[in-house]
Amino acid sequence: YKPVRPFGDQLRALLQARKITIYAFQKSTKFSWSVIYKWLNGTASPSLYNLVKIAETLDISVDELLGRI
């Protein structure tokens, strides 16, 4: 079992590593600002459909997105 960090921290780290701004991420995914803000601050979690969409946008697996690998 590998402990994982909170989704918002993981998403923020992935965006920073790829030099993607939150603005660019929002434009490419068409998610609302409020939902991205909630994810980044840990007050909400994305649905499975949205996890897949985020992973596709970042060109990574859902496992990598969740910090499992």
Side-chain angles (χ1 to χ4, degrees), residues 19-69:
K19 298 185 186 339
I20 300 172
T21 64
I22 295 172
Y23 177 80
F25 177 71
Q26 189 273 331
K27 288 295 182 190
S28 65
T29 60
K30 306 272 193 278
F31 294 130
S32 71
W33 287 104
S34 62
V35 76
I36 294 171
Y37 178 82
K38 288 177 183 178
W39 292 342
L40 292 174
N41 291 303
T43 56
S45 298
S47 66
L48 181 58
Y49 174 81
N50 287 340
L51 281 173
V52 171
K53 188 172 179 179
I54 295 166
E56 287 174 351
T57 299
L58 298 176
D59 195 29
I60 58 175
S61 69
V62 173
D63 278 336
E64 188 175 352
L65 176 61
L66 295 175
R68 296 180 56 160
I69 58 170

